[in-house]
Amino acid sequence: MGELFTGHGVIQTPVFMPVGTQGTVKAVTQRALESEIGAEIILANTYHLYLRPGTRILEQAGGLHSFMNWRKPILTDSGGFQVYSLSELRKLKKDGVEFRSHLDGSTHFFSPRKVIEIERSIGSDIMMPLDECTPFPCEYEYAKKSKLLTSEWAVLNRQAFDSTVPLYGHEQYLFGIVQGSVYKDLRESSAKDLMKLDFDGYSIGGLAVGEPVELMYELVDFTTDLISEEKPRYLMGVGRPENILEAIARGVDMFDCVMPTRNARNAYLFTSAGIVSMRNAAYKDDFQPLDGNCDCYTCRNFSRSYLRHLFNAKEILALVLATTHNLSFYLNLVREARERIIDGSFIDWKNEFSRIISVNVKSTEEE
Ligand SMILES: [Zn+2]
């Protein structure tokens, strides 16, 4: 827990970063994000923005903040994960990765330096470096080789960062990404390699890729202990509300996940009683707000019956209202976590939250 100072304002941690891959958080306006949802920082993606609209347009616009008219901080993913998951015919080489665009099949090459240069064009406040994210399960020998590559690239990332300058007058920060799959000795040596390079913060990568949740918690606990408390710790791609609270308890400051936005568009809404499907017939004539404990725009103004109707009628407003609620739910959750840490009631509150969620999950399974 703490504060992160950026050229676009101070971020209170723990913080959840809505995912705005292509320079937009799907289905909500920048105005709603800032004034109704209260996002402190959003995440954009280097791979996607490099392919479309491209760095020339971004530079002409004066960077992504100006292009999308977002005044608060932006963090960019390196795009490494998308290169591995989306693009065809990727070739991993010692000095980078060659891949084909998922849009038009054109060939591109990302090196650690290239990614930093693209992130300079984007102008993100916090930049992630190129790394290799291992899948789960992952053989020890492969994880070891991959961790070595990520460490070698970290040196190149650092050099590229030190030899380039921000283009738009605000400072940019560079994080290191701790890899090492599920092997503690590899995680430890990865963290050591990165700490020597003195990054501005550290991400925990390669988790939430299908491993059992208890193993993820154990590795988060182990990895946060390796990172200096002075530096922010960012757990990439996690997760469900209860996962986030467990990771906060283990020392994580920053989170991002597509879950609240993607689930919203599929009519799955997070509430203080658990996840509900807005398509459920039970809501047909239910005129209560979606979540009586939520003060978001959606819950203040619309009933479950109306939301269900919008989803059934395939109206665009369904996606807008559901996304507004889910993001508000996540942001309120981490905000309350911060307050509970300060007043000393965090652990009891977290345990009660997890208990309610697990009771709810069981009752849905029994249906
Ligand atoms: Zn709400």
Side-chain angles (χ1 to χ4, degrees):
M1 195 191 79
E3 285 179 330
L4 281 176
F5 295 85
T6 77
H8 290 92
V10 182
I11 302 161
Q12 308 273 342
T13 65
V15 68
F16 180 81
M17 304 181 281
V19 176
T21 304
Q22 313 211 49
T24 164
V25 175
K26 289 186 200 304
V28 287
T29 64
Q30 279 69 324
R31 185 172 64 182
L33 264 181
E34 188 174 339
S35 60
E36 282 160 15
I37 297 167
E40 292 203 63
I41 171 171
I42 59 168
L43 184 140
N45 188 276
T46 303
Y47 168 89
H48 284 279
L49 292 173
Y50 160 80
L51 290 178
R52 188 172 54 191
T55 52
R56 199 171 58 82
I57 300 289
L58 289 169
E59 286 184 19
Q60 277 177 359
L64 182 61
H65 286 91
S66 163
F67 187 48
M68 68 177 289
N69 194 24
W70 173 251
R71 294 176 293 182
K72 293 194 160 194
I74 297 174
L75 178 146
T76 37
D77 256 352
S78 72
F81 184 77
Q82 283 68 32
V83 168
Y84 306 122
S85 60
L86 281 182
S87 68
E88 293 167 26
L89 295 174
R90 65 176 175 88
K91 271 186 227 146
L92 194 61
K93 298 175 177 176
K94 200 160 171 57
D95 55 349
V97 57
E98 187 181 277
F99 60 94
R100 279 206 184 166
S101 159
H102 72 289
L103 297 175
D104 61 7
S106 55
T107 306
H108 302 267
F109 187 75
F110 270 9
S111 64
R113 171 168 289 270
K114 175 80 180 172
V115 166
I116 297 288
E117 284 169 359
I118 300 167
E119 290 177 304
R120 292 293 195 196
S121 299
I122 294 170
S124 48
D125 299 272
I126 302 173
M127 313 192 282
M128 292 300 131
L130 187 65
D131 66 338
E132 192 196 1
C133 177
T134 47
F136 178 84
C138 180
E139 295 284 333
Y140 182 83
E141 282 312 312
Y142 186 86
K144 190 175 173 183
K145 238 177 70 186
S146 170
K147 181 244 114 187
L148 269 172
L149 185 72
T150 291
S151 290
E152 284 166 16
W153 284 0
V155 175
L156 302 175
N157 289 318
R158 179 81 232 187
Q159 285 168 356
F161 179 74
D162 291 338
S163 61
T164 53
V165 290
L167 303 180
Y168 312 112
H170 62 268
E171 201 160 345
Q172 294 180 274
Y173 297 99
L174 179 64
F175 279 27
I177 305 179
V178 180
Q179 290 290 353
S181 185
V182 296
Y183 307 105
K184 286 185 179 173
D185 62 320
L186 298 182
R187 289 263 163 202
E188 189 166 359
S189 80
S190 175
K192 277 186 182 157
D193 293 346
L194 298 176
M195 302 269 283
K196 276 185 220 151
L197 297 165
D198 193 27
F199 287 102
D200 298 306
Y202 296 89
S203 307
I204 305 170
L207 292 181
V209 288
E211 75 283 4
V213 71
E214 287 308 323
L215 181 59
M216 176 178 85
Y217 293 154
E218 193 185 324
L219 288 158
V220 167
D221 207 9
F222 181 78
T223 311
T224 50
D225 280 349
L226 302 169
I227 303 166
S228 149
E229 262 186 61
E230 308 299 310
K231 297 289 173 83
R233 299 141 165 179
Y234 163 28
L235 179 57
M236 303 175 87
V238 171
R240 300 169 76 94
E242 59 272 29
N243 303 148
I244 289 180
L245 296 187
E246 291 299 334
I248 290 174
R250 290 163 175 80
V252 174
D253 302 297
M254 302 167 71
F255 299 89
D256 79 283
C257 190
V258 293
M259 212 173 261
T261 39
R262 182 175 292 165
N263 278 4
R265 298 194 303 279
N266 291 315
Y268 286 104
L269 299 180
F270 293 93
T271 75
S272 48
I275 298 181
V276 298
S277 168
M278 260 306 118
R279 295 188 201 278
N280 196 320
Y283 301 124
K284 194 174 177 180
D285 54 359
D286 183 343
F287 296 98
Q288 299 176 83
L290 168 61
D291 185 344
N293 295 320
C294 178
D295 66 352
C296 83
Y297 173 74
T298 304
C299 292
R300 284 198 324 272
N301 291 287
F302 306 100
S303 65
R304 295 172 184 176
S305 173
Y306 181 61
L307 288 172
R308 178 178 180 274
H309 160 69
L310 292 179
F311 271 109
N312 276 352
K314 297 191 169 56
E315 281 291 339
I316 291 168
L317 188 58
L319 314 186
V320 176
L321 295 180
T323 303
T324 301
H325 167 77
N326 271 2
L327 283 178
S328 299
F329 183 84
Y330 267 64
L331 290 165
N332 287 337
L333 185 80
V334 291
R335 218 172 283 131
E336 182 162 4
R338 183 182 166 89
E339 286 161 13
R340 298 272 182 179
I341 293 168
I342 291 169
D343 74 17
S345 61
F346 176 75
I347 296 295
D348 288 344
W349 170 73
K350 166 187 77 79
N351 292 342
E352 177 61 10
F353 182 92
S354 300
R355 192 189 61 79
I356 293 169
I357 296 290
S358 66
V359 168
N360 184 285
V361 168
K362 268 190 207 123
S363 67
T364 346
E365 280 165 359
E366 282 160 13
E367 268 170 17

